[in-house]
Amino acid sequence: MTLERQSVPFLDVEATPLTVSQLTAVLNKFVAEGGTRFVVGHNLHSVTLLHSEPAFRSFYANADVVLIDGAPVLWLWAKTGEEDDGRAPVMDYRLGSTDWIPALGNIQGLERIAVIGAGSVANAGAVAKLQQIVPGARVDGMPGEGWNSDVEETAVEWLSRLRPQLVLLGLGMPLQEQVLSRRLAALPPAVYCTVGGAIEQIAGVQKLAPRWIGRLGLEWAWRLMLHPQRVAYRVFGEPWVLLGLLLRRRLPVLRRQA
């Protein structure tokens, strides 16, 4: 299938909206081809970083797949399509990592998976869960707590020895994207997927919101309730920062049009 970027109005970003089955087909193709690929996701946090950090924007511009992981981004993108344009239901295109990771067992020839990130307990739990999801694959894990330059160097060497086909990198945003950007030349060929906090969620260490809450676009409220100190700024503060960044980008255009 053709991976065409589609514009998300107002946010001034592009994405490659896919359903779980469509992403599975893409990953099948990537694994069969070998080579290095990047799969990332867009929510309001990533959009804010994209407009405030040039290196982050460059990384996303060169990513192979930019999923939609965030209700506001999804709703704005949905405004670009007609009801009869052949799309699946809109919410089917909202793919957080925990939506598509359970489908990895459908990828043909997936035999080696690496999981980097979270604490040792969560990492081990995610490795065990992935071994159930993809029973024919070897799954290795490396915790990401205390990440620094030495740990990063060790991780690159570890990956070079393992030569995985698929890497789930969950160091939080933007650290995980920064690591991939600066280590690109040293990383072995693989499909690298940035998964944020999904390692803890897959392991069961962090409780997932009920799916009906996610489909209503209210997962932010669930996370705010469970982790108020971690999530409060993203919910109440970051949207205003993003609005300011977007207005700053639009003002010169508006002045030229006036």
Side-chain angles (χ1 to χ4, degrees), residues 3 13 24 50 53 77 81 103 105 117 121 128 162 182 203 216 224 247:
L3 291 175
V13 298
T24 300
L50 184 143
E53 299 186 11
W77 166 74
V121 173
L162 289 176
R182 62 178 170 246
L216 289 174
L224 181 63
L247 289 175

Side-chain angles (χ1 to χ4, degrees), residues 142-191:
M142 178 179 175
E145 55 192 351
W147 194 269
N148 56 33
S149 59
D150 291 336
V151 175
E152 186 168 308
E153 187 65 38
T154 299
V156 172
E157 295 172 357
W158 179 73
L159 289 171
S160 297
R161 291 194 303 272
L162 289 176
R163 310 293 292 185
Q165 298 160 290
L166 179 76
V167 179
L168 303 181
L169 184 62
L171 299 176
M173 186 183 291
L175 177 57
Q176 56 198 13
E177 292 81 12
Q178 292 168 348
V179 170
L180 292 176
S181 293
R182 62 178 170 246
R183 294 292 184 169
L184 176 59
L187 291 170
V191 181

